[in-house]
């Protein structure tokens, strides 16, 4: 089966959604390793509990972004992945890293891109009085949070939403759309072509039929 490496920094609830999809045979591939730049990330425990190799690669131990990304590239390439899925990996990647895996890098971001690139997306959407917010799965390019969008989920912002309630609503949608986008990619139905996403939405016959 196609091989996936997941990069995390924290809780790993999106990683869990991917692990759960795999356990239902709905991921279209296998998570072969999880790498975190934070040694105490809870997501590393989620990986171990699922029998997946969990690697802590703390960035403090490297003197530059380039040195860290070089080490990260080595760890990832050991696992020969078809896809690298960023799931709450809170580090800016160097051009060398992005170029190495170009077209095979997906990220999940807590906004309706191109709106609210960067951090604190929920607070900024609330402060703006936005009516809609959401989550995006996108291909990673050298432009931070700027790569082409593959799939989005929309949530309505209610008058009584707080940063916490909005985050909760958006994350629930993230957990739905990320496994779907990963599956489409691994099935070869979602591709980065030039600067654009192509999506083959021809319905597939059920497994075992032609
Ligand atoms: C998710 O909400 C993800 O969209 C966001 O971090 C959270 C990680 O949660 N990512 C970014 O902000 C990327 N810039 P998780 O560790 O529970 O999956």
């Amino acid at each position: 089966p196609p091989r996936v490496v997941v990069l995390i920094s924290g809780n790993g609830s999106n990683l869990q959604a991917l692990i759960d999809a795999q356990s239902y045979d709905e991921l279209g591939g296998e998570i072969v390793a999880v790498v975190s730049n934070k040694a105490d990330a809870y997501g590393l425990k989620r990986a171990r509990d699922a029998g997946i190799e969990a690697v802590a690669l703390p960035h403090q131990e490297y003197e530059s972004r380039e040195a860290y990304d070089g080490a990260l590239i080595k760890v990832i390439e050991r696992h020969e992945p078809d896809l690298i899925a960023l799931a709450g990996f809170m580090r800016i990647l160097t051009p060398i890293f992005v170029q190495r895996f170009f077209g095979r890098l997906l990220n999940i971001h807590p906004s309706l891109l191109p709106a609210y690139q960067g951090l604190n997306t929920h607070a900024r959407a609330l402060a703006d009085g936005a009516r809609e917010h959401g989550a995006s799965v996108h291909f990673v390019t050298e432009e931070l949070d700027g790569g082409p969008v593959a799939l989005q989920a929309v949530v309505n912002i209610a008058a009584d939403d707080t940063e916490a309630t909005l985050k909760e609503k958006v994350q629930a949608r993230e957990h739905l759309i990320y496994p779907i986008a990963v599956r489409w990619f691994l099935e070869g139905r979602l591709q980065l072509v030039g600067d654009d996403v192509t999506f083959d939405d021809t319905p597939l016959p059920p497994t075992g039929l032609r």
Side-chain angles (χ1 to χ4, degrees):
R3 302 166 65 80
V4 184
V5 168
V6 182
L7 305 187
I8 63 166
S9 298
N11 179 24
S13 68
N14 278 285
L15 165 67
Q16 189 67 56
L18 298 173
I19 290 172
D20 292 348
Q22 180 180 329
S23 74
Y24 301 133
D25 234 357
E26 282 174 1
L27 192 66
E30 189 185 337
I31 304 168
V32 291
V34 172
V35 186
S36 173
N37 66 310
K38 300 225 169 142
D40 61 355
Y42 183 68
L44 288 173
K45 176 177 168 10
R46 297 181 190 267
R48 276 185 231 109
D49 287 351
I52 299 167
E53 183 173 340
V55 183
L57 195 68
H59 58 266
Q60 297 88 339
E61 293 172 12
Y62 296 83
E63 62 183 13
S64 67
R65 235 172 237 293
E66 287 70 25
Y68 182 77
D69 280 9
L72 187 57
I73 287 171
K74 275 197 187 147
V75 171
I76 292 171
E77 286 191 333
R78 260 209 326 264
H79 296 279
E80 301 183 350
D82 298 284
L83 171 68
I84 297 100
L86 278 56
F89 185 67
M90 303 304 277
R91 274 184 68 82
I92 294 171
L93 294 163
T94 58
I96 289 174
F97 184 96
V98 173
Q99 282 159 21
R100 178 70 65 113
F101 301 116
F102 199 77
R104 288 189 285 154
L105 282 168
L106 286 176
N107 182 42
I108 182 121
H109 183 80
S111 77
L112 295 173
L113 291 173
Y116 306 116
Q117 302 174 344
L119 299 175
N120 303 316
T121 59
H122 310 305
R124 285 154 62 207
L126 283 172
D128 284 352
R131 310 284 297 272
E132 286 189 337
H133 188 45
S136 306
V137 178
H138 68 97
F139 281 98
V140 176
T141 63
E142 287 179 37
E143 192 192 333
L144 183 68
D145 299 329
V149 169
L151 188 60
Q152 292 184 315
V154 180
V155 305
N156 293 316
I157 298 183
D160 60 354
D161 264 327
T162 63
E163 196 179 335
T165 62
L166 192 54
K167 176 178 169 183
E168 190 178 333
K169 285 194 213 173
V170 169
Q171 286 201 342
R173 301 301 202 290
E174 293 182 15
H175 303 158
L176 290 177
I177 64 174
Y178 210 6
I180 292 172
V182 167
R183 180 178 188 154
W184 285 350
F185 179 87
L186 296 177
E187 289 177 343
R189 309 170 79 198
L190 168 68
Q191 267 183 290
L192 182 61
V193 177
D195 286 337
D196 226 333
V197 167
T198 62
F199 172 53
D200 172 7
D201 60 357
T202 321
L204 291 180
T207 317
L209 303 181
R210 288 184 204 213

